[in-house]
Every structure is written in C-alpha cells, then in structure tokens.
Amino acid sequence: FDDRLNPTHISLYMALFQEWNSSRFADEFFVNRRELMRVAKIGSKSTYHRCVTDLDTWRYLCYFPSNNPYKGSKIKMSIIGTSDESETGQYNPRLEHLAERYH
C-alpha cells in the first residue's frame, strides 16, 4: 500500500527477499549487484542504485554499499508484519506507525 513504490522497487525487493531466503534469513547477507539486476530485470546501474537507496531510505532494508568489487554489498532486511496478530520478538514503534498510516 506504499504509493512511493514502483514495479522496479518491488522487483528488486523480491530478488533481495529470494537472496535472504537462500541465506536462511540471516541477519545480514552479501549480494552481487549484477546477479540482482539480472533476477530483478533491471538494465541500468543507476536504476538499481536508486531503487536500493530508496528501499534503504524508506526502511524496507538497510543497505551497506561495498567499494570492493570482489565483495558484495551487505543487506539487512527489515521484518514487515502482515497480520493483525501480535508477534513475538522485538517491538518496533516505527513499523507500527507505518502500519497504522497505511491500514
């Protein structure tokens, strides 16, 4: 329900989610930009960087860019609740506020 997102943001997020799943939902994981661009069907580096930076700014994830071409950038995905049931674990008031805004 976030009007800021466009199909490219969603495609990149889904590619990142797939990588997160492959890493068994590790707290943090490293990604290969070329591979993410291929999976997300993004053809431009500038589009990729704009979208991953937007997702970081909007707190869908934390993006730690790497300046080393042999080591990928680090990603930390945010936990986004989708049900009304209370979840065990850490309470995040920012996510609660965002959920209330779009509920």
Side-chain angles (χ1 to χ4, degrees):
F1 300 111
D2 190 340
D3 291 334
R4 299 171 297 187
L5 297 171
N6 66 37
T8 310
H9 289 106
I10 295 167
S11 178
L12 178 58
Y13 183 86
M14 294 306 297
L16 286 162
F17 190 89
Q18 195 170 11
E19 286 295 314
W20 190 31
N21 186 3
S22 294
S23 73
R24 296 179 174 225
F25 301 104
D27 189 40
E28 298 173 338
F29 58 98
F30 291 91
V31 295
N32 178 293
R33 178 188 48 79
R34 283 190 191 122
E35 181 63 17
L36 281 175
M37 286 176 63
R38 185 187 67 75
V39 171
K41 307 285 194 244
I42 297 173
S44 159
K45 286 186 206 177
S46 61
T47 299
Y48 167 82
H49 287 292
R50 178 181 48 81
C51 287
V52 76
T53 302
D54 287 347
L55 291 171
D56 176 75
T57 301
W58 300 333
R59 299 180 191 246
Y60 285 92
L61 52 85
C62 291
Y63 171 59
F64 306 95
S66 169
N67 294 322
N68 182 339
Y70 301 105
K71 184 178 180 183
S73 296
K74 188 167 50 171
I75 301 289
K76 179 179 169 91
M77 301 291 281
S78 297
I79 306 298
I80 301 172
T82 58
S83 73
D84 291 336
E85 297 176 21
S86 62
E87 294 186 27
T88 59
Q90 290 184 312
Y91 171 76
N92 187 331
R94 278 188 248 130
L95 290 177
E96 182 70 23
H97 177 69
L98 182 65
E100 287 175 17
R101 217 171 90 191
Y102 291 100
H103 189 261

